Amino acid sequence: MQTLLKGKHLLREQDWTNEEIETLFAVTTELKMRYALDLPTEWLKNKSLFMLFFEESTRTRNAFECGITQLGGHANYLTPKMTQIDHGETPKDTIEVLSRMGHGIGVRNTFVNGHKWMEAIAEFSKIPVFNMQCDIWHPTQSFADLYTIKEKFHNELKGRKFVISWTSAGKYMRPLSMAQSLVALMPRFGMDVTLAHPKGFELMPEPMRLARENAARYGSKFEVVDDMDEAVRGADIVYAKGWGPVMTVGDDEAAGVEMINQNPGWIVDKRRMDLASPDSIYMHCMPADRDIEVTSEVMDGPHSVLYDEAENRLHTIKALMALTMGNTMAQR
Ligand code: CP
């Protein structure tokens, strides 16, 4: 167990060792048990968390906000418009000032170069920076997902088939970050990962490189297929969500939506779940487009662990804050 995590940023999963992630999960279990028993957990009394959202959120915002409250602290909800960021104040000046006032900052910025913006913040920050989702990674979600899988399979992950499949959700172009975080993280914990998507919906080179390298290093497998039936056959974990063809059309929303709608039928339904292992679980980071990405029958059916997965955002995020915030002034 690693105890020296005070002040540590979480920008992407790869910056945390497996041992550090296991420490996070041990603290998560303690916090989850205390939550169930309604026991006090005021481990960050009077600490302030800044939550800077460039985009909307249900789960991430409320997991951080409820989480810091339950830990005895307070959250400041910020947007570019509520701050001077909209008037061009730089990441350096913003974070130099916030570092003098609070104890941690979470940022959601899924625009192209959102990750670069977070890196600029982190470079000058004296307090831990949490990636609440960017254009490349979504680490607080993938940690909650991994924790959920460990719970459901009693920590026996070696050789489990983890499928992350694209779905035809054509309302708008979703970021690639969820799929990218999953393919890079899951092979590190022994799972054999299958990525499925139609042509044109490729992921970025860096997460793909990490997926391959991590699979080789940890003795697991990583494959890419273009057929959803083939992907889910024999799967232990079926995780399916849409993303835009960003690597093909850049940020051209209209062209991206058109491409999504040219690939209908990528949906998780009962027929597909019947191809998976009988004990398989169905996952989605949410929000899920009901009866577009997944049928309601599956979402509300016996394989679905959606709401447990969403609840685990709270517990894993509390553990993240408890381990990294606190008396970071002492380390300056
Ligand atoms: N899964 C997830 O990040 O949900 P929100 O967009 O609601 O935060």
Side-chain angles (χ1 to χ4, degrees):
M1 186 174 282
Q2 288 292 329
T3 54
L4 295 174
L5 293 168
K6 288 278 188 293
K8 188 173 175 68
H9 302 318
L10 174 61
L11 297 190
R12 54 172 201 158
E13 299 81 356
Q14 199 68 17
D15 298 331
W16 282 53
T17 65
N18 283 20
E19 193 178 353
E20 288 170 338
I21 294 169
E22 293 289 7
T23 302
L24 181 92
F25 289 166
V27 175
T28 298
T29 299
E30 169 84 14
L31 283 164
K32 189 168 181 177
M33 185 193 68
R34 285 174 170 260
Y35 183 79
L37 296 173
D38 203 14
L39 292 173
T41 53
E42 294 191 336
W43 300 346
L44 293 176
K45 204 165 166 53
N46 298 327
K47 305 291 186 227
S48 292
L49 170 76
F50 304 106
M51 306 188 304
L52 175 57
F53 279 93
F54 286 70
E55 295 97 16
E56 61 282 357
S57 163
T58 297
R59 279 143 291 273
T60 309
R61 173 183 173 173
N62 290 295
F64 272 98
E65 190 159 345
C66 294
I68 191 70
T69 303
Q70 290 163 23
L71 290 168
H74 167 78
N76 291 8
Y77 177 72
L78 305 171
T79 66
K81 271 205 186 324
M82 292 165 75
T83 61
Q84 298 294 3
I85 294 169
D86 233 27
H87 288 149
E89 189 159 35
T90 64
K92 178 180 190 299
D93 292 340
T94 303
I95 197 62
E96 288 279 8
V97 172
L98 294 180
S99 288
R100 304 287 180 107
M101 299 179 183
H103 306 85
I105 179 168
V107 182
R108 170 169 287 193
N109 185 343
T110 64
F111 294 123
V112 174
N113 289 330
H115 191 74
K116 280 199 169 27
W117 199 91
M118 275 179 214
E119 283 180 326
I121 283 269
E123 182 184 349
F124 298 107
S125 184
K126 314 292 188 294
I127 56 178
V129 178
F130 310 126
N131 180 346
M132 291 172 158
Q133 191 175 14
C134 69
D135 51 331
I136 310 179
W137 310 108
H138 196 357
T140 63
Q141 178 71 53
S142 65
F143 282 175
D145 294 339
L146 177 58
Y147 184 83
T148 305
I149 294 167
K150 285 164 81 68
E151 279 189 327
K152 299 301 175 190
F153 291 106
H154 312 291
N155 258 327
E156 291 167 8
L157 305 192
K158 184 74 191 151
R160 296 270 176 205
K161 182 175 180 183
F162 178 95
V163 174
I164 170 64
S165 174
W166 184 83
T167 57
S168 335
K171 271 193 233 162
Y172 61 97
M173 282 223 291
R174 293 162 170 83
L176 280 60
S177 46
M178 194 65 258
Q180 297 187 156
S181 276
L182 295 171
V183 298
L185 178 65
M186 297 310 174
R188 292 171 56 189
F189 290 83
M191 282 176 269
D192 295 335
V193 172
T194 299
L195 167 67
H197 60 75
K199 194 166 163 22
F201 289 83
E202 287 74 22
L203 303 184
M204 294 175 185
E206 173 71 359
M208 291 297 282
R209 180 184 66 78
L210 287 173
R212 289 195 189 93
E213 285 181 8
N214 288 337
R217 177 171 173 197
Y218 292 95
S220 45
K221 296 178 192 149
F222 176 58
E223 64 170 356
V224 186
V225 301
D226 62 3
D227 183 297
M228 201 174 186
D229 283 357
E230 183 188 341
V232 300
R233 195 164 284 118
D236 295 295
I237 301 111
V238 176
Y239 199 126
K241 76 171 301 296
W243 60 85
V246 176
M247 300 304 290
T248 307
V249 303
D251 57 4
D252 185 340
E253 184 82 18
V257 167
E258 193 182 329
M259 265 186 78
I260 294 168
N261 291 322
Q262 284 167 357
N263 290 279
W266 288 67
I267 182 171
V268 181
D269 56 12
K270 184 176 181 311
R271 182 188 71 75
R272 286 203 164 111
M273 286 308 296
D274 286 345
L275 296 175
S277 157
D279 298 325
S280 60
I281 58 172
Y282 164 75
M283 302 182 78
H284 191 299
C285 56
M286 302 179 83
D289 276 2
R290 270 184 184 265
D291 301 309
I292 296 171
E293 292 190 276
V294 51
T295 60
S296 289
E297 186 182 14
V298 170
M299 257 184 107
D300 301 324
H303 296 279
S304 175
V305 299
L306 287 190
Y307 304 129
D308 291 343
E309 180 186 1
E311 182 190 326
N312 281 337
R313 297 295 306 284
L314 172 72
H315 306 303
T316 48
I317 282 171
K318 282 167 73 177
L320 172 68
M321 293 191 287
L323 283 164
T324 60
M325 291 172 58
N327 195 15
T328 50
M329 285 295 279
Q331 297 183 335
R332 292 179 192 176

